[in-house]
Amino acid sequence: LALFVYWSATIPATIVYSQIYNYREKRIGRDSEKFDNLLSSEIGINLFAAHLASEHCVETLVFWRYANAWKSAFDKSSDQNRYDNLKNIYEQFIKEWAPLQVNLSNDVRSDLDSIFDSNKRELSKDSVDDAIQEVYILMFTHSYVRFLQSEFHDKYQNATFGKAI
């Protein structure tokens, strides 16, 4: 009897949570695609930057863009340029007490700290991937949600659908 009560209470909850999880995954996928479209549009990224500036956190977007630009230029740059450019990004955004320090987990920050603490110059194209991903998730789950509620989103919608801003 106890087993029956357990299963009768557990199985429906499992099914409901499974359905909620699937819905959430589909919605996050759609919202993520919309966020990516925003970041790839000139007007979208400018309005999102204005929103982030109003929240005093535009450094997340600036870091995300610089880190992606560094990664894109990786194969075209000399070893010294790669190192120097990543060090500039590190000193501006990553190291503790950086002028525009972004919010990163201790593990990610420590991995990047180790590159410059030891002066090892072994960089790979994916050296900043974890930091890029964390900042993207932070922008998507926090700033973008608030952007959707803002006047900047209204302006983006009007511009996207051809109405005057």
Side-chain angles (χ1 to χ4, degrees), residues 12-76:
T14 304
I15 293 169
V16 169
Y17 287 127
S18 174
Q19 290 171 344
I20 290 170
Y21 179 78
N22 288 337
Y23 170 76
R24 184 172 178 217
E25 286 299 306
K26 288 177 187 172
R27 178 159 182 197
I28 287 173
R30 283 193 309 267
D31 289 348
S32 179
E33 187 176 321
K34 289 178 184 178
F35 185 53
D36 290 343
N37 290 339
L38 175 82
L39 294 176
S40 64
S41 146
E42 183 178 343
I43 187 131
I45 204 160
N46 288 336
L47 288 167
F48 189 60
H51 168 71
L52 290 174
S54 75
E55 291 193 330
H56 307 287
C57 61
V58 74
E59 68 278 356
T60 57
L61 181 61
V62 176
F63 165 77
W64 182 81
R65 291 186 78 181
Y66 281 169
N68 277 303
W70 178 86
K71 189 174 173 174
S72 294
F74 187 87
D75 294 328
K76 302 172 207 151

Side-chain angles (χ1 to χ4, degrees), residues 83 86 110-120 123 127:
Y83 182 84
L86 186 57
S110 294
D111 288 346
L112 292 165
D113 286 344
S114 70
I115 292 172
F116 299 103
D117 289 346
S118 64
N119 281 328
K120 69 177 182 181
L123 301 176
S127 294

